Amino acid sequence: MKSIIIQFNKIDVVSGSVIMALGIFSLGAMQQIPLIGQYSKTITLFLFLLWFLMIISFVTTFINHSYRKLLISIPVKSFAIGTWIAGTSVICVLMVHEYQQLQIIIECISIFNLFAWFAYILFCISQFKRIVVHNLGRDVHGVILLSTVSTQSMVCLLINVFHGEVSNKMVIFFIVAGFAFYLFSMILILMRFIQKWGSIHELKNTDCIIHGALSITGLAMTQSQVFSSEFLNCFWFFVLALFILIETFEVVRAVARVKLFGLKKALFTYDVSQWSRNFTFGMLYYFTYNLVTLYEGKMPWTFQLQFLELFAWVVLILLLMEVILFFQSKINALLLK
């Protein structure tokens, strides 16, 4: 068992969220901050190399039978494999924007990612079945919504990499499938809330994906340009309302945790799952940016434009805080050796 645990800890399965968060920041908020945005090509290349090294580490870990067996035996955690699908999609879209001369390489990676997504979704369906059959609903949290996030990321990947070669029917299929996964996941998550209502520990870091999964759904619908501006405007306000609700709960939880554990342990202790919040904040920004850009002139986007000006700095500050916590944790780990 000891060897299994060591192998399992080689790279956390949720580590793909690091790529998701950094990538979506680079696609969205970073472009609106001139001081950083001017280095977009260099940052994109760095993220591509980081993704490449991390994906190799994950694949070499995943092919280990002990690791794979242990991961599959934890139905909820196993959904985190979706961070690598979504992270790869984000990197490919970012590369298309900055390095179009590498189109063939990007297309090859995208096709591989499409097959990986298909295998992952079949796996998700199997794990959903296990959760229901074995009554594991009390353990679910926002990570199961990666079934939606990975699916909608494929929409953005196909549209950006293959452009007009993707039919509207295929795009709508992915969007509807992703939304179906969202509804089923939310039923399980709401059942968990009902069962454990009242505990300050009940909100998990990954529960922010409740609004993040809808943001990427909105992004997919926006980039498809199949849906009307009126519908997307209503959808955006719904996502914003859900964002405010979930993050308000998070603030209440944070205050309660500070009282119990103190400021450092409650708020400034690094955990890899925290990157999911950076991703969801960045995704809301990128959804909004695409909405006002692709549907420019079709609606008076006054509020959304004001939102973008402020929210870019919120996304940046949260990302810098997470990067500082990450390096602080690594330094502390080295000092303890």
Side-chain angles (χ1 to χ4, degrees):
M1 174 60 86
K2 184 177 179 181
S3 62
I4 292 176
I5 293 174
I6 291 173
Q7 184 65 33
F8 186 81
N9 289 333
K10 185 176 180 181
I11 183 169
D12 198 307
V13 67
V14 78
S15 295
S17 60
V18 177
I19 299 297
M20 290 167 61
L22 294 173
I24 207 64
F25 170 76
S26 300
L27 278 170
M30 186 184 78
Q31 304 300 327
Q32 310 311 308
I33 304 173
L35 186 63
I36 308 174
Q38 61 180 320
Y39 302 107
S40 59
K41 277 190 172 294
T42 303
I43 292 172
T44 296
L45 183 59
F46 167 77
L47 288 179
F48 179 79
L49 293 174
L50 179 63
W51 165 82
F52 183 72
L53 293 174
M54 289 182 68
I55 202 81
I56 288 177
S57 179
F58 175 69
V59 170
T60 54
T61 304
F62 187 74
I63 60 177
N64 180 276
H65 176 71
S66 298
Y67 176 95
R68 198 166 60 252
K69 183 179 178 181
L70 182 58
L71 181 60
I72 293 172
S73 70
I74 310 174
V76 175
K77 182 162 183 145
S78 62
F79 280 85
I81 295 171
T83 60
W84 299 96
I85 307 293
T88 300
S89 294
V90 170
I91 288 297
C92 285
V93 172
L94 193 56
M95 289 293 290
V96 164
H97 286 193
E98 300 293 343
Y99 292 95
Q100 294 181 359
Q101 64 270 32
L102 300 177
Q103 180 71 20
I104 295 177
I105 296 174
I106 298 168
E107 287 182 4
C108 290
I109 297 173
S110 299
I111 292 171
F112 176 82
N113 200 40
L114 180 60
F115 282 106
W117 168 84
F118 183 71
Y120 169 70
I121 285 302
L122 292 178
F123 175 69
C124 285
I125 293 171
S126 173
Q127 294 296 65
F128 273 131
K129 182 179 178 181
R130 288 186 63 194
I131 290 171
V132 173
V133 171
H134 297 287
N135 196 25
L136 302 175
R138 290 176 62 87
D139 300 321
V140 302
H141 50 86
V143 73
I144 64 174
L145 287 164
L146 284 165
S147 55
T148 294
V149 172
S150 62
T151 302
Q152 306 298 14
S153 78
M154 295 309 302
V155 177
C156 303
L157 177 69
L158 293 172
I159 289 173
N160 283 273
V161 175
F162 297 101
H163 309 294
E165 298 176 30
V166 183
S167 69
N168 287 342
K169 289 183 179 179
M170 180 181 290
V171 167
I172 292 173
F173 167 77
F174 274 99
I175 292 173
V176 171
F179 194 70
F181 283 124
Y182 183 86
L183 292 177
F184 186 75
S185 299
M186 282 305 300
I187 290 172
L188 295 177
I189 291 172
L190 288 173
M191 288 174 65
R192 184 203 88 203
F193 273 124
I194 292 170
Q195 292 174 352
K196 297 183 177 182
W197 185 259
S199 170
I200 67 162
H201 306 293
E202 187 44 34
L203 264 180
K204 313 296 183 183
N205 287 327
T206 55
D207 283 338
C208 61
I209 306 177
I210 291 173
H211 60 75
L214 282 187
S215 287
I216 194 172
T217 299
L219 174 65
M221 291 191 294
T222 301
Q223 291 195 341
S224 72
Q225 298 192 55
V226 172
F227 299 84
S228 70
S229 57
E230 291 80 10
F231 173 79
L232 290 172
N233 183 50
C234 292
F235 189 82
W236 185 86
F237 275 105
F238 176 76
V239 174
L240 179 64
L242 191 60
F243 170 84
I244 293 171
L245 177 65
I246 297 297
E247 295 307 320
T248 298
F249 274 118
E250 184 60 31
V251 170
V252 173
R253 170 179 175 254
V255 172
R257 284 178 57 83
V258 168
K259 290 179 180 178
L260 279 177
F261 305 117
L263 188 63
K264 187 177 187 306
K265 186 176 180 181
L267 299 181
F268 298 108
T269 300
Y270 175 77
D271 188 278
V272 68
S273 64
Q274 293 163 353
W275 288 97
S276 59
R277 172 158 280 103
N278 294 98
F279 169 74
T280 58
F281 275 60
M283 183 53 69
L284 177 57
Y285 183 95
Y286 194 48
F287 168 30
T288 310
Y289 175 76
N290 274 261
L291 185 60
V292 302
T293 303
L294 296 176
Y295 285 80
E296 185 179 7
K298 295 186 178 181
M299 289 282 290
W301 303 112
T302 307
F303 181 81
Q304 283 86 350
L305 288 168
Q306 293 174 344
F307 174 84
L308 286 173
E309 288 183 13
L310 172 64
F311 204 60
W313 295 101
V314 174
V315 175
L316 174 62
I317 291 168
L318 283 177
L319 187 65
L320 289 176
M321 288 174 61
E322 193 61 34
V323 170
I324 291 170
L325 287 177
F326 168 77
F327 281 110
Q328 186 182 58
S329 70
K330 295 303 178 183
I331 292 171
N332 290 341
L334 288 173
L335 292 175
L336 289 174
K337 285 186 177 181

